[in-house]
Amino acid sequence: KCMLIRGWDDLFAKLAENTTKPVCHMEAGALTAFFSQLTGRELLCVQTTCESLGADYNRFVLGLTRRIEPVTAMVEQGMSHDDIMASLCA
């Protein structure tokens, strides 16, 4: 299982120039730390879409580290959010 988080108007996304990957690493890190502390479990949050790349909002996937780690590679490969979610839910 995982949690989907949406964010808007991120400063890092607004300031990003000439990027091909999501840039809101600070927000992903803050979400990882907050929810890990809240649950007492080792969680990971990975950004799958970014306003800097033309998305209408930033999407983040949060879950157990071992389950979410593959998402990082999927983002690096340029997979869409929908394809990433289909892979996680398979």
Side-chain angles (χ1 to χ4, degrees):
K1 298 188 182 204
C2 62
M3 178 187 293
L4 302 178
I5 302 169
R6 295 180 182 175
W8 293 267
D9 298 323
D10 188 282
L11 179 62
F12 296 105
K14 287 181 180 182
L15 296 176
E17 296 179 4
N18 302 322
T19 184
T20 59
K21 305 287 184 239
V23 297
C24 303
H25 308 293
M26 295 288 284
E27 189 171 313
L31 291 167
T32 295
F34 176 78
F35 284 102
S36 291
Q37 285 292 316
L38 183 68
T39 63
R41 309 241 359 226
E42 185 179 333
L43 303 177
L44 179 63
C45 183
V46 176
Q47 185 178 12
T48 60
T49 66
C50 189
E51 293 170 306
S52 69
L53 300 172
D56 45 350
Y57 46 82
N58 302 308
R59 289 179 182 94
F60 299 88
V61 179
L62 175 79
L64 294 173
T65 299
R66 63 178 165 70
R67 179 151 164 76
I68 301 300
E69 278 180 331
V71 173
T72 301
M74 294 177 200
V75 170
E76 289 293 322
Q77 294 170 6
M79 287 178 67
S80 71
H81 175 78
D82 291 337
D83 289 342
I84 290 170
M85 294 310 300
S87 178
L88 282 177
C89 295

PDB file of all heavy atoms in Angstrom, residues 7-19 21-24 27 47 50-56 58:
ATOM      1  N   GLY A   7       0.787  18.344  -4.381  1.00  0.00           N
ATOM      2  CA  GLY A   7       1.207  19.659  -3.918  1.00  0.00           C
ATOM      3  C   GLY A   7       1.154  20.661  -5.056  1.00  0.00           C
ATOM      4  O   GLY A   7       1.303  20.303  -6.225  1.00  0.00           O
ATOM      5  N   TRP A   8       0.935  21.920  -4.708  1.00  0.00           N
ATOM      6  CA  TRP A   8       0.841  22.986  -5.697  1.00  0.00           C
ATOM      7  C   TRP A   8       1.762  24.133  -5.314  1.00  0.00           C
ATOM      8  O   TRP A   8       2.109  24.309  -4.150  1.00  0.00           O
ATOM      9  CB  TRP A   8      -0.576  23.558  -5.743  1.00  0.00           C
ATOM     10  CG  TRP A   8      -1.607  22.638  -6.248  1.00  0.00           C
ATOM     11  CD1 TRP A   8      -2.046  22.533  -7.537  1.00  0.00           C
ATOM     12  CD2 TRP A   8      -2.355  21.678  -5.504  1.00  0.00           C
ATOM     13  NE1 TRP A   8      -3.020  21.571  -7.625  1.00  0.00           N
ATOM     14  CE2 TRP A   8      -3.226  21.025  -6.385  1.00  0.00           C
ATOM     15  CE3 TRP A   8      -2.376  21.288  -4.171  1.00  0.00           C
ATOM     16  CZ2 TRP A   8      -4.103  20.030  -5.993  1.00  0.00           C
ATOM     17  CZ3 TRP A   8      -3.237  20.296  -3.777  1.00  0.00           C
ATOM     18  CH2 TRP A   8      -4.084  19.683  -4.686  1.00  0.00           C
ATOM     19  N   ASP A   9       2.115  24.916  -6.304  1.00  0.00           N
ATOM     20  CA  ASP A   9       2.864  26.159  -6.112  1.00  0.00           C
ATOM     21  C   ASP A   9       4.165  25.972  -5.342  1.00  0.00           C
ATOM     22  O   ASP A   9       4.513  26.771  -4.481  1.00  0.00           O
ATOM     23  CB  ASP A   9       1.996  27.218  -5.409  1.00  0.00           C
ATOM     24  CG  ASP A   9       0.784  27.596  -6.221  1.00  0.00           C
ATOM     25  OD1 ASP A   9       0.912  27.665  -7.464  1.00  0.00           O
ATOM     26  OD2 ASP A   9      -0.291  27.822  -5.634  1.00  0.00           O
ATOM     27  N   ASP A  10       4.901  24.932  -5.647  1.00  0.00           N
ATOM     28  CA  ASP A  10       6.174  24.673  -4.992  1.00  0.00           C
ATOM     29  C   ASP A  10       7.227  25.645  -5.511  1.00  0.00           C
ATOM     30  O   ASP A  10       7.386  25.815  -6.716  1.00  0.00           O
ATOM     31  CB  ASP A  10       6.611  23.230  -5.248  1.00  0.00           C
ATOM     32  CG  ASP A  10       7.826  22.866  -4.417  1.00  0.00           C
ATOM     33  OD1 ASP A  10       8.940  23.270  -4.805  1.00  0.00           O
ATOM     34  OD2 ASP A  10       7.652  22.196  -3.391  1.00  0.00           O
ATOM     35  N   LEU A  11       7.951  26.275  -4.604  1.00  0.00           N
ATOM     36  CA  LEU A  11       8.971  27.262  -4.966  1.00  0.00           C
ATOM     37  C   LEU A  11      10.066  26.649  -5.829  1.00  0.00           C
ATOM     38  O   LEU A  11      10.513  27.254  -6.804  1.00  0.00           O
ATOM     39  CB  LEU A  11       9.577  27.884  -3.712  1.00  0.00           C
ATOM     40  CG  LEU A  11      10.672  28.919  -3.935  1.00  0.00           C
ATOM     41  CD1 LEU A  11      10.119  30.111  -4.721  1.00  0.00           C
ATOM     42  CD2 LEU A  11      11.253  29.374  -2.622  1.00  0.00           C
ATOM     43  N   PHE A  12      10.503  25.435  -5.489  1.00  0.00           N
ATOM     44  CA  PHE A  12      11.564  24.786  -6.263  1.00  0.00           C
ATOM     45  C   PHE A  12      11.115  24.530  -7.701  1.00  0.00           C
ATOM     46  O   PHE A  12      11.892  24.685  -8.637  1.00  0.00           O
ATOM     47  CB  PHE A  12      12.009  23.486  -5.598  1.00  0.00           C
ATOM     48  CG  PHE A  12      12.631  23.711  -4.252  1.00  0.00           C
ATOM     49  CD1 PHE A  12      11.929  23.400  -3.105  1.00  0.00           C
ATOM     50  CD2 PHE A  12      13.888  24.264  -4.142  1.00  0.00           C
ATOM     51  CE1 PHE A  12      12.490  23.618  -1.855  1.00  0.00           C
ATOM     52  CE2 PHE A  12      14.466  24.488  -2.905  1.00  0.00           C
ATOM     53  CZ  PHE A  12      13.757  24.160  -1.759  1.00  0.00           C
ATOM     54  N   ALA A  13       9.870  24.135  -7.871  1.00  0.00           N
ATOM     55  CA  ALA A  13       9.341  23.890  -9.216  1.00  0.00           C
ATOM     56  C   ALA A  13       9.255  25.202  -9.997  1.00  0.00           C
ATOM     57  O   ALA A  13       9.548  25.241 -11.199  1.00  0.00           O
ATOM     58  CB  ALA A  13       7.969  23.236  -9.139  1.00  0.00           C
ATOM     59  N   LYS A  14       8.883  26.274  -9.333  1.00  0.00           N
ATOM     60  CA  LYS A  14       8.771  27.570 -10.005  1.00  0.00           C
ATOM     61  C   LYS A  14      10.128  28.105 -10.451  1.00  0.00           C
ATOM     62  O   LYS A  14      10.232  28.767 -11.477  1.00  0.00           O
ATOM     63  CB  LYS A  14       8.094  28.589  -9.082  1.00  0.00           C
ATOM     64  CG  LYS A  14       6.624  28.354  -8.917  1.00  0.00           C
ATOM     65  CD  LYS A  14       6.008  29.407  -8.023  1.00  0.00           C
ATOM     66  CE  LYS A  14       4.523  29.151  -7.863  1.00  0.00           C
ATOM     67  NZ  LYS A  14       3.864  30.160  -7.056  1.00  0.00           N
ATOM     68  N   LEU A  15      11.167  27.827  -9.678  1.00  0.00           N
ATOM     69  CA  LEU A  15      12.501  28.360  -9.971  1.00  0.00           C
ATOM     70  C   LEU A  15      13.315  27.470 -10.907  1.00  0.00           C
ATOM     71  O   LEU A  15      14.356  27.887 -11.403  1.00  0.00           O
ATOM     72  CB  LEU A  15      13.278  28.579  -8.673  1.00  0.00           C
ATOM     73  CG  LEU A  15      12.700  29.615  -7.714  1.00  0.00           C
ATOM     74  CD1 LEU A  15      13.512  29.661  -6.432  1.00  0.00           C
ATOM     75  CD2 LEU A  15      12.640  30.981  -8.364  1.00  0.00           C
ATOM     76  N   ALA A  16      12.850  26.254 -11.135  1.00  0.00           N
ATOM     77  CA  ALA A  16      13.606  25.300 -11.952  1.00  0.00           C
ATOM     78  C   ALA A  16      13.658  25.745 -13.413  1.00  0.00           C
ATOM     79  O   ALA A  16      12.682  26.239 -13.956  1.00  0.00           O
ATOM     80  CB  ALA A  16      12.976  23.919 -11.856  1.00  0.00           C
ATOM     81  N   GLU A  17      14.812  25.563 -14.018  1.00  0.00           N
ATOM     82  CA  GLU A  17      14.998  25.879 -15.426  1.00  0.00           C
ATOM     83  C   GLU A  17      15.692  24.715 -16.114  1.00  0.00           C
ATOM     84  O   GLU A  17      16.577  24.088 -15.538  1.00  0.00           O
ATOM     85  CB  GLU A  17      15.851  27.139 -15.582  1.00  0.00           C
ATOM     86  CG  GLU A  17      15.204  28.385 -15.013  1.00  0.00           C
ATOM     87  CD  GLU A  17      16.101  29.601 -15.182  1.00  0.00           C
ATOM     88  OE1 GLU A  17      17.184  29.493 -15.796  1.00  0.00           O
ATOM     89  OE2 GLU A  17      15.723  30.666 -14.675  1.00  0.00           O
ATOM     90  N   ASN A  18      15.295  24.439 -17.331  1.00  0.00           N
ATOM     91  CA  ASN A  18      15.943  23.407 -18.155  1.00  0.00           C
ATOM     92  C   ASN A  18      16.100  22.070 -17.428  1.00  0.00           C
ATOM     93  O   ASN A  18      17.182  21.507 -17.378  1.00  0.00           O
ATOM     94  CB  ASN A  18      17.318  23.894 -18.635  1.00  0.00           C
ATOM     95  CG  ASN A  18      17.201  25.174 -19.433  1.00  0.00           C
ATOM     96  OD1 ASN A  18      16.259  25.336 -20.203  1.00  0.00           O
ATOM     97  ND2 ASN A  18      18.141  26.067 -19.245  1.00  0.00           N
ATOM     98  N   THR A  19      15.016  21.581 -16.891  1.00  0.00           N
ATOM     99  CA  THR A  19      15.057  20.305 -16.184  1.00  0.00           C
ATOM    100  C   THR A  19      14.272  19.250 -16.944  1.00  0.00           C
ATOM    101  O   THR A  19      13.340  19.575 -17.676  1.00  0.00           O
ATOM    102  CB  THR A  19      14.532  20.445 -14.740  1.00  0.00           C
ATOM    103  OG1 THR A  19      14.689  19.204 -14.065  1.00  0.00           O
ATOM    104  CG2 THR A  19      13.075  20.854 -14.711  1.00  0.00           C
ATOM    105  N   LYS A  21      13.655  16.207 -15.088  1.00  0.00           N
ATOM    106  CA  LYS A  21      13.210  15.355 -13.982  1.00  0.00           C
ATOM    107  C   LYS A  21      12.550  16.222 -12.909  1.00  0.00           C
ATOM    108  O   LYS A  21      12.819  17.418 -12.812  1.00  0.00           O
ATOM    109  CB  LYS A  21      14.396  14.627 -13.346  1.00  0.00           C
ATOM    110  CG  LYS A  21      15.232  13.817 -14.300  1.00  0.00           C
ATOM    111  CD  LYS A  21      14.520  12.561 -14.725  1.00  0.00           C
ATOM    112  CE  LYS A  21      15.414  11.712 -15.595  1.00  0.00           C
ATOM    113  NZ  LYS A  21      14.929  11.424 -16.885  1.00  0.00           N
ATOM    114  N   PRO A  22      11.697  15.637 -12.069  1.00  0.00           N
ATOM    115  CA  PRO A  22      11.107  16.389 -10.955  1.00  0.00           C
ATOM    116  C   PRO A  22      12.188  17.003 -10.068  1.00  0.00           C
ATOM    117  O   PRO A  22      13.255  16.417  -9.890  1.00  0.00           O
ATOM    118  CB  PRO A  22      10.312  15.315 -10.197  1.00  0.00           C
ATOM    119  CG  PRO A  22       9.976  14.291 -11.234  1.00  0.00           C
ATOM    120  CD  PRO A  22      11.183  14.260 -12.138  1.00  0.00           C
ATOM    121  N   VAL A  23      11.899  18.182  -9.511  1.00  0.00           N
ATOM    122  CA  VAL A  23      12.921  18.928  -8.776  1.00  0.00           C
ATOM    123  C   VAL A  23      12.584  19.208  -7.307  1.00  0.00           C
ATOM    124  O   VAL A  23      13.361  19.857  -6.620  1.00  0.00           O
ATOM    125  CB  VAL A  23      13.219  20.279  -9.477  1.00  0.00           C
ATOM    126  CG1 VAL A  23      13.798  20.057 -10.860  1.00  0.00           C
ATOM    127  CG2 VAL A  23      11.976  21.150  -9.524  1.00  0.00           C
ATOM    128  N   CYS A  24      11.472  18.723  -6.816  1.00  0.00           N
ATOM    129  CA  CYS A  24      11.041  19.068  -5.455  1.00  0.00           C
ATOM    130  C   CYS A  24      11.563  18.060  -4.426  1.00  0.00           C
ATOM    131  O   CYS A  24      10.810  17.469  -3.646  1.00  0.00           O
ATOM    132  CB  CYS A  24       9.523  19.178  -5.410  1.00  0.00           C
ATOM    133  SG  CYS A  24       8.866  20.377  -6.589  1.00  0.00           S
ATOM    134  N   GLU A  27      10.852  18.863  -0.656  1.00  0.00           N
ATOM    135  CA  GLU A  27       9.497  18.516  -0.241  1.00  0.00           C
ATOM    136  C   GLU A  27       9.361  17.007  -0.045  1.00  0.00           C
ATOM    137  O   GLU A  27       8.779  16.549   0.941  1.00  0.00           O
ATOM    138  CB  GLU A  27       8.488  19.013  -1.276  1.00  0.00           C
ATOM    139  CG  GLU A  27       7.056  18.891  -0.829  1.00  0.00           C
ATOM    140  CD  GLU A  27       6.097  19.590  -1.771  1.00  0.00           C
ATOM    141  OE1 GLU A  27       6.361  20.752  -2.145  1.00  0.00           O
ATOM    142  OE2 GLU A  27       5.091  18.965  -2.118  1.00  0.00           O
ATOM    143  N   GLN A  47       8.858  11.813  -5.824  1.00  0.00           N
ATOM    144  CA  GLN A  47       8.043  12.665  -6.684  1.00  0.00           C
ATOM    145  C   GLN A  47       7.930  12.040  -8.074  1.00  0.00           C
ATOM    146  O   GLN A  47       8.929  11.650  -8.668  1.00  0.00           O
ATOM    147  CB  GLN A  47       8.665  14.055  -6.785  1.00  0.00           C
ATOM    148  CG  GLN A  47       7.814  15.030  -7.555  1.00  0.00           C
ATOM    149  CD  GLN A  47       8.419  16.418  -7.605  1.00  0.00           C
ATOM    150  OE1 GLN A  47       9.577  16.624  -7.250  1.00  0.00           O
ATOM    151  NE2 GLN A  47       7.629  17.375  -8.040  1.00  0.00           N
ATOM    152  N   CYS A  50       5.925  16.886 -11.812  1.00  0.00           N
ATOM    153  CA  CYS A  50       6.412  18.170 -11.310  1.00  0.00           C
ATOM    154  C   CYS A  50       5.851  19.312 -12.147  1.00  0.00           C
ATOM    155  O   CYS A  50       5.791  19.216 -13.374  1.00  0.00           O
ATOM    156  CB  CYS A  50       7.940  18.181 -11.356  1.00  0.00           C
ATOM    157  SG  CYS A  50       8.687  19.606 -10.538  1.00  0.00           S
ATOM    158  N   GLU A  51       5.482  20.374 -11.476  1.00  0.00           N
ATOM    159  CA  GLU A  51       4.997  21.565 -12.175  1.00  0.00           C
ATOM    160  C   GLU A  51       6.061  22.123 -13.112  1.00  0.00           C
ATOM    161  O   GLU A  51       5.734  22.698 -14.146  1.00  0.00           O
ATOM    162  CB  GLU A  51       4.581  22.630 -11.155  1.00  0.00           C
ATOM    163  CG  GLU A  51       3.364  22.241 -10.344  1.00  0.00           C
ATOM    164  CD  GLU A  51       3.113  23.184  -9.188  1.00  0.00           C
ATOM    165  OE1 GLU A  51       4.050  23.400  -8.379  1.00  0.00           O
ATOM    166  OE2 GLU A  51       1.991  23.697  -9.091  1.00  0.00           O
ATOM    167  N   SER A  52       7.331  21.939 -12.769  1.00  0.00           N
ATOM    168  CA  SER A  52       8.407  22.457 -13.626  1.00  0.00           C
ATOM    169  C   SER A  52       8.437  21.745 -14.975  1.00  0.00           C
ATOM    170  O   SER A  52       9.021  22.253 -15.927  1.00  0.00           O
ATOM    171  CB  SER A  52       9.764  22.299 -12.932  1.00  0.00           C
ATOM    172  OG  SER A  52      10.137  20.935 -12.837  1.00  0.00           O
ATOM    173  N   LEU A  53       7.804  20.577 -15.053  1.00  0.00           N
ATOM    174  CA  LEU A  53       7.753  19.806 -16.298  1.00  0.00           C
ATOM    175  C   LEU A  53       6.402  19.930 -16.987  1.00  0.00           C
ATOM    176  O   LEU A  53       6.096  19.162 -17.898  1.00  0.00           O
ATOM    177  CB  LEU A  53       8.061  18.331 -16.009  1.00  0.00           C
ATOM    178  CG  LEU A  53       9.435  18.072 -15.393  1.00  0.00           C
ATOM    179  CD1 LEU A  53       9.557  16.625 -14.971  1.00  0.00           C
ATOM    180  CD2 LEU A  53      10.532  18.456 -16.368  1.00  0.00           C
ATOM    181  N   GLY A  54       5.579  20.871 -16.517  1.00  0.00           N
ATOM    182  CA  GLY A  54       4.287  21.122 -17.145  1.00  0.00           C
ATOM    183  C   GLY A  54       3.102  20.430 -16.499  1.00  0.00           C
ATOM    184  O   GLY A  54       1.981  20.557 -16.980  1.00  0.00           O
ATOM    185  N   ALA A  55       3.320  19.696 -15.419  1.00  0.00           N
ATOM    186  CA  ALA A  55       2.207  19.042 -14.724  1.00  0.00           C
ATOM    187  C   ALA A  55       1.346  20.092 -14.026  1.00  0.00           C
ATOM    188  O   ALA A  55       1.831  21.161 -13.644  1.00  0.00           O
ATOM    189  CB  ALA A  55       2.740  18.044 -13.697  1.00  0.00           C
ATOM    190  N   ASP A  56       0.062  19.773 -13.865  1.00  0.00           N
ATOM    191  CA  ASP A  56      -0.833  20.717 -13.194  1.00  0.00           C
ATOM    192  C   ASP A  56      -0.588  20.764 -11.692  1.00  0.00           C
ATOM    193  O   ASP A  56      -0.964  21.729 -11.031  1.00  0.00           O
ATOM    194  CB  ASP A  56      -2.299  20.407 -13.492  1.00  0.00           C
ATOM    195  CG  ASP A  56      -2.641  18.932 -13.377  1.00  0.00           C
ATOM    196  OD1 ASP A  56      -1.723  18.117 -13.251  1.00  0.00           O
ATOM    197  OD2 ASP A  56      -3.839  18.608 -13.432  1.00  0.00           O
ATOM    198  N   ASN A  58       2.215  18.763  -8.406  1.00  0.00           N
ATOM    199  CA  ASN A  58       3.283  17.825  -8.074  1.00  0.00           C
ATOM    200  C   ASN A  58       2.655  16.595  -7.421  1.00  0.00           C
ATOM    201  O   ASN A  58       1.830  16.727  -6.531  1.00  0.00           O
ATOM    202  CB  ASN A  58       4.277  18.467  -7.101  1.00  0.00           C
ATOM    203  CG  ASN A  58       4.878  19.725  -7.681  1.00  0.00           C
ATOM    204  OD1 ASN A  58       5.380  19.715  -8.788  1.00  0.00           O
ATOM    205  ND2 ASN A  58       4.821  20.812  -6.935  1.00  0.00           N
TER     206      ASN A  58
END
